[in-house]
Amino acid sequence: MPLPLPNLDDRTYADLVEEARSLIPIECPEWTDHNPSNTGIILIELLAWLTEMALYRVNRVTDKNYETFLKLLNGPEWKLEGDLKTAIRETVLELRKSDRAVSCEDFEQLALAWKSDKIKGQVRRSRCIPERNLSQTDSVVRTRKAPGHISLVVVPESIEKEPKPTQELTNALMEYLDEWRLLTTRLHIVAPDYVHLKIRAQLYLEDGANHKTVQDKAIKEVENFFAPLNSHTYWNGKGWPFGQNVYISELYQLLDRLPGVDYVQGVTLDVSGATTTELKKESEVGSIEIAVYKTEGFAVGNMIRIDPSSSDQEYHIIAEVSSDGFKLVQKLEKNHALGTTVVNLKNYDVVEKSTDKSQLLVDRVDGLAVGDKIRIFAGGDPKDVKIKKIDDSNKRISLEQSLDQAIDTRPVFQILSWREVRTADNSLTSIILNDNELVAVQVDNNSFTMMEQRGGEWKPITNQAE
């Protein structure tokens, strides 16, 4: 719909005559005959008529004006050929074509429109992040403001779960965009970073529901929900939005809507990649033993977190591992229901005593990030501190707070990731993603514990962890 032209002057013939008549006593007091037969009044009416015609022309854009403006847009050599309306439409369509890369939208549209006969594949999604250099390997440098730099994150057409552009595609796209960018712009084409998300939940089924059908549907819907491409009914089929946080409430809503599901409990999100299992029977407060479905990947001295996404979570050290479960160093403080998730927290060993009480020298730093919270046992008492800086080359961790004493060889546990947003009672609400990140969800038959009522009690249908 075209924009309405403004009315530059809406005065009519009558308005002009009346305005002129009102000025006679001020400008010429001796003029007292204002009858229509008066020569002066006749002259006022004639000038008002001519002025009204001039105002009419002011409020009109002639064809010649359009033609002149089109010549300004198309260049001095342009000439009108054919219908004027057709020429206007063609000029507007030509202006909408991206033939330069200045704004982020320009880079994104050019990347999506780019095609190559030599390179297999096409860019399906693109996200431009200004003033960032995401080609840097240092995680801290990647987050810093970089004036003059632009990072273009591209997702190619692919059937892989984590689609990333090949080096050949990246080079060809860079060569293409290099023709359109400003000389002062430093362009970096990068693949998205994928945040690996592990999901667990307990699905309480309606009477008569087929647990295998519900399980398969849950896996399919969760995979579609987080898919980087072809997300079907979610996100208009375009895939999980770049940098959108993952809210645990959305998972509850998605799973609760599944046919055959009565209600959902115990949804947990894990981004650490740690080994997990589930309680195969309810644990009792005051006990030092818990029964779990699997114990592979757990060892004596490991720290576990029970019910990690709720306010009832507990941290415990494993004293003994058996085929049926664990013995703990300390007694349980709360009851935990059947199917509750148990996470084996990542541990890192301090390999050398540091003279600086705000630093730790560890065996490795993979999986750690600035803002993570770690737990250290210094003098027998646990101390939770946040990571301020990580030196990858020297495997040195700088802490936000100094310890009471320098730490020698002992384990350090990663208890919370900087990505985890929690309430005051420590319940998990969401997982934070950066602008260049997408989700790679890990979901399978072991992700959902299917619960049914037997004898008036809720019980698992099968051992989901096996």
Side-chain angles (χ1 to χ4, degrees):
M1 180 179 178
L3 293 175
L5 294 175
N7 194 346
L8 301 179
D9 197 326
D10 59 357
R11 289 179 295 176
T12 64
Y13 166 82
D15 295 332
L16 294 167
V17 171
E18 184 61 31
E19 184 179 353
R21 281 176 178 272
S22 66
L23 293 174
I24 293 176
I26 299 174
E27 301 295 338
C28 189
E30 61 273 14
W31 184 0
T32 58
D33 185 3
H34 299 167
N35 292 317
S37 59
N38 183 270
T39 305
I41 296 301
I42 294 174
L43 184 59
I44 287 176
E45 292 175 347
L46 176 61
L47 293 173
W49 176 68
L50 292 172
T51 302
E52 185 182 42
M53 285 195 299
L55 292 178
Y56 176 83
R57 291 173 180 171
V58 168
N59 280 320
R60 296 293 179 273
V61 180
T62 65
D63 289 351
K64 186 62 177 177
N65 292 135
Y66 279 116
E67 187 175 341
T68 302
F69 188 61
L70 288 174
K71 183 173 287 189
L72 290 173
L73 294 174
N74 291 290
E77 303 300 324
W78 179 86
K79 291 183 179 180
L80 177 62
E81 296 179 359
D83 182 50
L84 180 62
K85 290 185 178 180
T86 301
I88 293 174
R89 182 173 62 254
E90 291 176 351
T91 300
V92 172
L93 292 175
E94 189 66 27
L95 288 173
R96 289 177 178 174
K97 293 181 180 179
S98 296
D99 57 359
R100 80 283 187 268
V102 178
S103 67
C104 272
E105 185 179 9
D106 294 336
F107 281 99
E108 292 173 353
Q109 290 180 351
L110 285 170
L112 292 174
W114 171 77
K115 291 182 180 179
S116 175
D117 297 331
K118 299 179 181 179
I119 306 299
K120 185 179 180 181
Q122 183 180 355
V123 176
R124 284 285 308 277
R125 297 182 64 189
S126 62
R127 174 65 180 271
C128 180
I129 304 176
E131 298 189 321
R132 293 272 295 281
N133 182 2
L134 295 179
S135 64
Q136 293 283 351
T137 56
D138 191 313
S139 58
V140 177
V141 176
R142 284 158 59 91
T143 61
R144 290 176 183 168
K145 187 175 181 180
H149 291 260
I150 284 182
S151 291
L152 184 65
V153 186
V154 296
V155 182
E157 178 66 51
S158 175
I159 60 173
E160 300 293 330
K161 290 187 176 181
E162 300 180 26
K164 295 182 179 181
T166 62
Q167 190 60 49
E168 190 180 20
L169 186 148
T170 301
N171 293 340
L173 181 58
M174 177 69 80
E175 182 179 353
Y176 169 73
L177 293 176
D178 191 59
E179 299 178 8
W180 308 113
R181 68 174 179 86
L182 297 176
L183 290 175
T184 55
T185 299
R186 297 183 180 181
L187 176 63
H188 311 279
I189 298 178
V190 298
D193 288 338
Y194 288 92
V195 177
H196 294 86
L197 184 67
K198 186 182 293 185
I199 296 175
R200 283 185 176 273
Q202 301 162 30
L203 306 184
Y204 291 76
L205 305 183
E206 297 174 346
D207 291 340
N210 186 302
H211 74 276
K212 189 67 172 66
T213 301
V214 174
Q215 186 179 63
D216 293 342
K217 182 67 173 177
I219 293 173
K220 181 179 179 181
E221 291 301 308
V222 170
E223 288 179 340
N224 290 341
F225 187 67
F226 291 106
L229 297 171
N230 305 320
S231 55
H232 299 272
T233 58
Y234 304 104
W235 319 114
N236 296 319
K238 297 179 180 179
W240 182 266
F242 277 104
Q244 174 154 309
N245 295 346
V246 181
Y247 293 91
I248 198 168
S249 58
E250 293 179 329
L251 269 299
Y252 273 104
Q253 183 183 50
L254 184 150
L255 296 172
D256 190 60
R257 288 177 175 176
L258 296 176
V261 174
D262 188 7
Y263 64 94
V264 182
Q265 281 189 345
V267 175
T268 62
L269 305 176
D270 178 63
V271 292
S272 66
T275 304
T276 60
T277 185
E278 293 176 334
L279 297 181
K280 63 180 180 181
K281 67 179 182 180
E282 183 178 353
S283 65
E284 297 180 358
V285 62
S287 175
I288 61 170
E289 295 184 357
I290 57 174
V292 297
Y293 285 123
K294 68 173 185 178
T295 58
E296 292 83 6
F298 294 83
V300 174
N302 287 172
M303 177 179 284
I304 60 173
R305 181 166 59 191
I306 305 174
D307 204 359
S309 294
S310 79
S311 58
D312 292 330
Q313 64 182 279
E314 293 187 53
Y315 295 90
H316 287 278
I317 301 292
I318 297 177
E320 185 179 324
V321 179
S322 66
S323 59
D324 295 326
F326 313 126
K327 281 188 177 180
L328 309 176
V329 173
Q330 295 180 322
K331 296 179 180 179
L332 293 171
E333 299 176 358
K334 301 172 183 176
N335 293 322
H336 297 283
L338 166 72
T340 298
T341 301
V342 178
V343 177
N344 189 20
L345 300 178
K346 286 188 174 181
N347 64 82
Y348 302 81
D349 292 326
V350 177
V351 297
E352 184 180 342
K353 190 172 184 179
S354 174
T355 56
D356 189 340
K357 296 180 182 179
S358 65
Q359 293 185 351
L360 296 175
L361 297 172
V362 293
D363 58 340
R364 70 188 197 284
V365 293
D366 58 286
L368 291 175
V370 174
D372 287 357
K373 184 179 287 187
I374 59 176
R375 176 166 292 185
I376 307 166
F377 287 88
D381 296 323
K383 185 176 181 65
D384 298 341
V385 290
K386 281 188 177 182
I387 297 176
K388 181 180 180 181
K389 184 180 179 181
I390 297 176
D391 184 348
D392 294 333
S393 57
N394 295 314
K395 299 178 183 177
R396 180 183 287 110
I397 301 172
S398 297
L399 310 175
E400 288 189 355
Q401 296 176 330
S402 296
L403 302 174
D404 297 332
Q405 63 185 56
I407 302 299
D408 52 9
T409 54
R410 66 184 63 196
V412 174
F413 300 96
Q414 179 192 31
I415 60 171
L416 289 177
S417 168
W418 66 271
R419 296 182 183 277
E420 299 178 19
V421 179
R422 295 179 177 268
T423 60
D425 64 1
N426 227 13
S427 299
L428 181 68
T429 60
S430 61
I431 301 295
I432 298 174
L433 266 66
N434 289 323
D435 292 341
N436 63 310
E437 293 178 331
L438 296 172
V439 175
V441 66
Q442 300 177 29
V443 59
D444 52 32
N445 291 336
N446 294 327
S447 299
F448 304 110
T449 302
M450 317 303 289
M451 308 291 290
E452 68 174 357
Q453 276 198 334
R454 295 199 301 266
E457 295 182 359
W458 287 102
K459 296 181 180 180
I461 295 176
T462 59
N463 187 343
Q464 302 293 318
E466 291 181 350

